[in-house]
Amino acid sequence: MDSLTQFALGSGIGLAVLGRKIGPRKAAITGGLLGTVPDLDVFYPFDDPIDSFILHRGATHSLVLQALVTPLFGEGLMRLFKGLRDQRVLTYLAVYLIFATHALIDAATIYGTKLFWPIWKEPLGTGSSFIIDPLYTIPLLIVVVWALCVSTWSNSLKRAVTFALAISTAYLGWGLVAQQIALSKAEAVLARQGIMPERIIATAGPFNTIFWKATAIEGDRYFNLYIPLLGDEESITAYAHPRGTAAAGCLDDAESLRKLADFSKGFYRIDQEDGQVVVSDLRMGLTPAYVFRFAIAEETASGLKAIFPERRPSNRASDEDFEWLFANLRGDYVLRPAEADMALLQNREWRFASVATQVTAC
């Protein structure tokens, strides 16, 4: 999740556990600061930009490591605040809950979080929440601002904190339910067209949980299906795109490709841009404006040659995309302009666009 959300959640946990002992302001600030600690791994100076990408949300987000460092932070808080001198269990509980909830809400996004590192090093990510969702964050922010504006703990503030944490948690639960609804709809639409994808995921749309994107992989092409939960099945639009995986055969020895393919769990595409081979993670962003794109090879007279990876910038969202998003939030049938040429649902009937590879032969 974004840094503001992590600060707000940490503040909420701090208020709920420590507010009565050290006062609302200190509890909110302390909780918020602790809530940002796991993300300090972004400052680790990786030489390889792909390592910087795939190794974020690693050790500092591990529930195992967080339990091991909890006494260190807990003892520091006990020495800092007089109200916690004889509250070791309560203080440890607050620290661990703040750290653990940071990792758990990160795992609700599709990026992936290594919750059980080093016991199990695979990143976990449900994709049931978008990385920024105001409906999750706003209730927490309200009580944080309230806490910062008062000097004493009160029952009314306690009730507000409890409600904010409960409603935000329930919203995360709703995201998991909505994801399964969207996934079922996507699978049903594909099945009726005789498409049985090798893998499929559904991820929350930007800033909400009522408009979803399903991505399905079938050989050298992938499908984007956009699913408004407020609309019926006829409001679903679908698009087919090439993955360009023919180029993978030319890059068997490219460690960068292996890393990205593993991290994306196979949800990637390969493009040729300005004489370079660019790999994009299909799970984050919208075609063609994917958030994580890396140039890993270049075209030479003797074929494709691996290069030191380079992060490629992502295209920014256009006004047309915002209009399209708002229309779909209402449940309307609206094609996405950036993908309209590859649309499979035109006038409610499927037509298969020609899907050609983007990368020349080796």
Side-chain angles (χ1 to χ4, degrees):
M1 289 286 195
D2 63 285
S3 298
L4 178 61
T5 297
Q6 294 291 10
F7 185 94
L9 177 60
S11 290
I13 299 294
L15 284 166
V17 183
L18 303 177
R20 187 170 63 86
K21 297 295 182 180
I22 63 175
R25 288 177 185 166
K26 293 178 181 178
I29 293 172
T30 301
L33 292 176
L34 285 175
T36 65
V37 167
D39 278 341
L40 294 180
D41 64 344
V42 299
F43 296 108
Y44 188 86
F46 290 104
D47 293 329
D48 188 328
I50 292 180
D51 286 343
S52 180
F53 165 53
I54 67 176
L55 297 179
H56 176 48
R57 295 192 187 174
T60 60
H61 288 67
S62 166
L63 300 178
V64 178
L65 185 63
Q66 289 171 349
L68 295 177
V69 302
T70 287
L72 176 64
F73 286 88
E75 292 299 320
L77 290 185
M78 291 172 61
R79 286 162 174 73
L80 183 62
F81 299 114
K82 292 182 180 180
L84 301 180
R85 296 286 165 82
D86 59 347
Q87 299 292 329
R88 177 168 281 108
V89 173
L90 189 70
T91 304
Y92 282 23
L93 176 64
V95 171
Y96 186 68
L97 283 176
I98 291 168
F99 286 163
T101 52
H102 176 121
L104 290 170
I105 67 168
D106 270 352
T109 67
I110 196 59
Y111 183 95
T113 305
K114 296 180 180 179
L115 291 177
F116 303 107
W117 185 94
I119 298 171
W120 189 30
K121 297 183 180 180
E122 287 296 313
L124 302 174
T126 65
S128 55
S129 294
F130 191 66
I131 193 171
I132 301 173
D133 193 329
L135 291 180
Y136 176 83
T137 308
I138 287 174
L140 296 170
L141 279 179
I142 291 173
V143 296
V144 171
V145 172
W146 182 350
L148 294 175
C149 293
V150 297
S151 57
T152 57
W153 185 250
S154 65
N155 286 331
S156 58
L157 179 56
K158 176 183 177 180
R159 288 192 294 269
V161 170
T162 302
F163 177 78
L165 290 171
I167 198 69
S168 60
T169 302
Y171 184 72
L172 287 181
W174 152 249
L176 289 169
V177 173
Q179 182 181 44
Q180 293 307 308
I181 295 172
L183 191 59
S184 296
K185 289 187 175 185
E187 290 174 334
V189 168
L190 291 172
R192 272 192 284 277
Q193 302 303 323
I195 299 172
M196 304 300 292
E198 302 157 25
R199 54 180 65 89
I200 183 172
I201 55 172
T203 53
F207 319 119
N208 76 100
T209 52
I210 59 174
F211 177 50
W212 292 76
K213 181 186 80 169
T215 304
I217 301 294
E218 185 194 50
D220 194 45
R221 65 179 178 175
Y222 69 97
F223 300 94
N224 286 332
L225 291 87
Y226 297 106
I227 306 151
L229 296 190
L230 297 183
D232 55 24
E233 189 172 294
E234 290 189 343
S235 65
I236 297 173
T237 56
Y239 311 81
H241 297 279
R243 293 181 62 216
T245 52
C250 308
L251 298 166
D252 288 337
D253 297 328
E255 179 71 6
S256 296
L257 178 60
R258 184 195 63 78
K259 289 179 181 179
L260 292 170
D262 289 347
F263 184 77
S264 68
K265 296 180 171 56
F267 288 92
Y268 68 94
R269 64 179 282 170
I270 303 175
D271 295 277
Q272 188 168 322
E273 301 177 6
D274 303 323
Q276 291 186 321
V277 175
V278 179
V279 181
S280 302
D281 190 319
L282 299 176
R283 301 170 304 162
M284 289 167 274
L286 300 173
T287 304
Y290 287 105
V291 178
F292 295 106
R293 306 169 67 247
F294 298 90
I296 65 166
E298 63 183 4
E299 189 176 4
T300 68
S302 57
L304 298 179
K305 179 182 178 181
I307 61 173
F308 186 78
E310 172 190 341
R311 175 82 180 269
R312 280 294 193 95
S314 174
N315 297 324
R316 303 183 69 175
S318 66
D319 291 340
E320 289 182 331
D321 264 345
F322 285 111
E323 294 173 4
W324 163 79
L325 172 63
F326 292 136
N328 277 272
L329 287 172
R330 297 191 300 267
D332 296 339
Y333 175 88
V334 178
L335 290 177
R336 182 169 177 249
E339 297 182 73
D341 290 344
M342 306 302 288
L344 299 182
L345 285 176
Q346 297 277 19
N347 300 321
R348 310 302 195 271
E349 293 185 5
W350 285 68
R351 67 167 178 82
F352 284 85
S354 173
V355 180
T357 183
Q358 311 102 299
V359 179
T360 57
C362 304

